[in-house]
């Protein structure tokens, strides 16, 4: 699996094919079903969670793109949210206690968006709808956008950070909002941006409050921020400078969001990034194809013998041999000897095993037969245990580390 498979499943122009994504998710689902009960649960749970989440996300709406504005306190998330909506929807504060509530604005008819917002956990009273019919046509280019204004991720309130982390795990695209003062903040980079390496295709960085820098300084700060992003493994992500003090200041962000919404790729790309991560993690549990142990493998032959011994095959064999002689003699030979032989018990019947006629159609007799073969001795049992262990070890040799124990247990 791993890298080559991933590359093969991407369409060459960077677009993700929805059917192929679904096929990959189904393959992981099948894999999880096959190993269920054999492998420990913990390493499999991220894959299980993803398969479920991806299934839900894709079934709720493929027409919507969920974009989150994330960042530190005061970077301007709420201001940009209001600027995109062209309405004051989310409270903006100079020096205020931060809010732990996520606000959402939906462009276009709500339709499937309602269930998506329920799933995202945005409360109905914090949802707004921008219908282009009310504004002439200038909002129609954002149709399908669900923009979220997240709580501050550097909030002193633990619950706010939990809410941010929860939503960052669900949204399709993240716009990281930084300001000239705090753009190099260690927390932003170490705790968040670096974690989004896999989601480079659905990550956007905005240097807001650009008006607070002398115009000549803006390119230098952008270059510095770009260097930090490269170090985070986020090379190539779009980086924009915005300001809300000038009406045209947030337009670059708006244009970027319009492009994202029209493409309808963000959700698929996000899930592809997540899927790549879980597939890479499962890679360690999947080895090269292996053939079964050959029947003439010494370990298999030994197991064969040990199983025979425990099942009482040698006892039955010698009884069959004696019974053959006994029955042959009782049908042939001198009449007096024949009569005398008939008085002696048949060795097979002594074991409650049938005579020449088959027992398959008589379960009771079969059961009686089975229970009358002498119990295996301790030596036979321990020889069997040893033979089993050897076969399990041979079969598990060279398998990825999760498997040998599972093979032995099976
Ligand atoms: N000068 C300037 N101030 C801004 C800009 N964007 C936001 N602000 C101010 O920064 C403060 C924090 O903004 P807010 O949107 O509440 O940030 P949030 O905490 O990230 O939601 C408010 O006083 C805003 O008016 C900007 O582009 N330029
Ligand atoms: Mg805010």
């Amino acid at each position: 699996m791993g890298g080559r498979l991933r590359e093969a499943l991407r369409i060459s122009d960077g677009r993700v094919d929805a059917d192929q994504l679904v096929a990959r998710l189904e393959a992981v689902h099948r894999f999880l079903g096959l190993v269920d009960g054999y492998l420990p649960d913990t390493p499999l749970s991220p894959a299980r969670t993803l398969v479920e989440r991806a299934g839900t996300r894709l079934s709720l709406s493929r027409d919507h793109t969920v974009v989150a504005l994330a960042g530190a306190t005061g970077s301007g998330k709420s201001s940009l949210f209001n600027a995109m909506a062209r309405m004051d929807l989310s409270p903006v504060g100079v020096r205020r206690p931060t809010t732990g509530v996520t606000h959402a604005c939906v462009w276009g008819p709500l339709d499937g968006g309602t269930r998506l917002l329920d799933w995202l956990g945005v409360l109905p009273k914090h949802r707004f709808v921008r219908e282009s019919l009310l504004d002439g046509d200038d909002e129609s280019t954002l149709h399908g956008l669900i923009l979220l204004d997240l709580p501050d991720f550097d909030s002193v309130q633990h619950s706010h950070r939990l809410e941010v982390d929860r939503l960052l795990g669900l949204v399709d695209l993240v716009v990281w909002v930084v300001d000239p003062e705090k753009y190099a903040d260690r927390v932003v980079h170490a705790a968040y941006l670096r974690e989004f390496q896999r989601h480079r295709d659905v990550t956007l960085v905005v240097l807001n409050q650009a008006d607070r820098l002398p115009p000549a300084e803006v390119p230098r700060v952008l270059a510095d921020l770009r260097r930090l992003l490269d170090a985070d493994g986020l090379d190539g992500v779009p980086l924009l400078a915005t300001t809300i003090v000038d009406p045209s200041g947030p337009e670059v962000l708006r244009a970027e969001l319009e492009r994202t919404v029209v493409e309808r790729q963000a959700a698929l790309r996000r899930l592809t990034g997540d899927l790549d991560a879980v597939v890479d993690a499962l890679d360690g549990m999947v080895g090269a194809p292996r053939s079964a142990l050959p029947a003439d493998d010494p370990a298999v032959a030994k197991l064969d013998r040990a199983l025979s011994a425990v099942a009482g095959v040698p006892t039955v064999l010698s009884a069959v041999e004696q019974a053959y002689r006994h029955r042959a003699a009782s049908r042939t030979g001198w009449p007096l000897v024949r009569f005398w032989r008939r008085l002696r018990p048949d060795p097979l019947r002594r074991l409650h095993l049938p005579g020449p006629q088959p027992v398959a159609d008589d379960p009771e007799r079969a059961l009686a037969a089975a229970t009358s073969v002498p119990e295996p001795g301790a030596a036979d049992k321990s020889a069997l245990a040893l033979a089993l262990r050897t076969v399990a070890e041979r079969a598990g040799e060279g398998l990825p580390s999760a498997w040998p124990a599972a093979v032995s247990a099976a």
Side-chain angles (χ1 to χ4, degrees):
M1 300 227 256
R4 250 178 311 147
L5 178 67
R6 280 199 267 117
E7 285 315 309
L9 287 170
R10 278 171 193 247
I11 305 295
S12 54
D13 65 357
R15 290 184 70 80
V16 177
D17 181 82
D19 292 339
Q20 272 174 344
L21 173 61
V22 171
R24 288 184 69 200
L25 286 164
E26 278 168 1
V28 172
H29 182 65
R30 272 203 309 282
F31 172 83
L32 292 171
L34 287 171
V35 301
D36 191 30
Y38 295 108
L39 293 185
D41 265 338
T42 319
L44 300 174
S45 72
R48 288 216 175 86
T49 311
L50 173 69
V51 167
E52 197 192 315
R53 171 160 65 78
T56 311
R57 172 65 188 90
L58 294 174
S59 68
L60 281 174
S61 168
R62 292 201 201 171
D63 298 330
H64 287 93
T65 304
V66 183
V67 176
L69 294 167
T73 315
S75 55
K77 299 178 297 297
S78 302
S79 304
L80 283 171
F81 179 83
N82 293 338
M84 292 301 111
R86 294 181 172 144
M87 286 180 168
D88 282 345
L89 301 176
S90 193
V92 169
V94 187
R95 213 173 283 140
R96 76 252 171 285
T98 58
T99 162
V101 171
T102 300
H103 290 85
C105 186
V106 183
W107 274 258
L110 206 46
D111 296 344
T114 305
R115 288 192 305 148
L116 197 51
L117 283 165
D118 290 343
W119 179 66
L120 291 166
V122 178
L123 297 175
K125 65 177 171 186
H126 297 126
R127 301 174 189 177
F128 309 98
V129 183
R130 287 299 259 131
E131 256 295 6
S132 64
L133 291 177
L134 302 177
D135 314 293
D137 226 7
D138 63 336
E139 296 297 310
S140 65
T141 46
L142 284 178
H143 260 201
L145 172 65
I146 296 183
L147 188 62
L148 304 182
D149 180 17
L150 299 191
D152 310 320
F153 64 49
D154 57 347
S155 168
V156 287
Q157 294 276 337
H158 186 56
S159 62
H160 297 188
R161 294 201 301 274
L162 287 181
E163 170 74 347
V164 173
D165 292 343
R166 186 182 70 77
L167 280 162
L168 287 178
L170 301 177
V171 301
D172 303 331
L173 184 131
V174 182
V175 177
W176 298 96
V177 183
V178 297
D179 61 58
E181 217 171 284
K182 288 196 279 184
Y183 73 90
D185 191 85
R186 205 185 52 80
V187 179
V188 187
H189 293 273
Y192 286 96
L193 287 167
R194 213 161 291 162
E195 294 296 309
F196 265 70
Q197 285 185 20
R198 282 198 185 271
H199 297 302
R200 262 199 311 241
D201 317 354
V202 286
T203 298
L204 227 140
V205 180
V206 166
L207 175 71
N208 189 40
Q209 310 193 17
D211 61 283
R212 295 173 67 193
L213 290 167
E217 273 290 280
V218 175
R220 193 195 58 78
V221 172
L222 282 176
D224 195 35
L225 177 51
R226 173 65 79 192
R227 183 185 54 79
L228 293 171
L229 293 173
D230 288 353
D232 293 333
L234 290 172
D235 37 299
V237 303
L239 171 58
L240 317 167
T242 59
T243 166
I244 57 133
V245 296
D246 166 2
S248 66
E251 285 307 301
V252 276
L253 176 59
R254 197 181 174 87
E256 197 67 37
L257 293 182
E258 283 173 2
R259 193 162 41 243
T260 304
V261 168
V262 169
E263 257 192 340
R264 300 207 309 161
Q265 278 279 301
L268 303 177
R269 286 191 180 134
R270 159 82 216 224
L271 294 175
T272 300
D274 290 333
L275 186 58
D276 290 348
V278 301
V279 166
D280 284 356
L282 295 178
D283 226 21
M285 301 179 196
V286 182
R290 290 256 309 235
S291 45
L293 280 186
D296 59 0
D297 187 286
V300 175
K302 208 164 162 189
L303 175 62
D304 231 27
R305 283 196 300 277
L307 280 170
S308 303
V310 166
V313 172
T315 313
V316 176
L317 263 184
S318 83
V320 167
E321 194 184 333
Q322 287 167 33
Y324 180 77
R325 292 220 183 87
H326 174 91
R327 289 171 193 179
S330 57
R331 275 174 182 74
T332 58
W334 195 47
L336 197 61
V337 173
R338 217 152 68 196
F339 173 74
W340 176 73
R341 288 237 176 215
R342 277 188 197 142
L343 293 180
R344 282 174 51 192
D346 181 307
L348 268 186
R349 295 209 193 287
R350 219 167 35 215
L351 289 176
H352 290 229
L353 287 175
Q357 58 286 82
V359 285
D361 51 348
D362 187 346
E364 255 175 61
R365 276 178 64 203
L367 191 65
T371 51
S372 300
V373 173
E375 271 289 301
D380 286 341
K381 281 191 194 162
S382 70
L384 174 61
L386 182 66
L388 267 174
R389 208 161 44 242
T390 313
V391 166
E393 276 165 13
R394 288 273 295 107
E397 253 167 37
L399 288 181
S401 64
W403 283 103
V407 171
S408 295

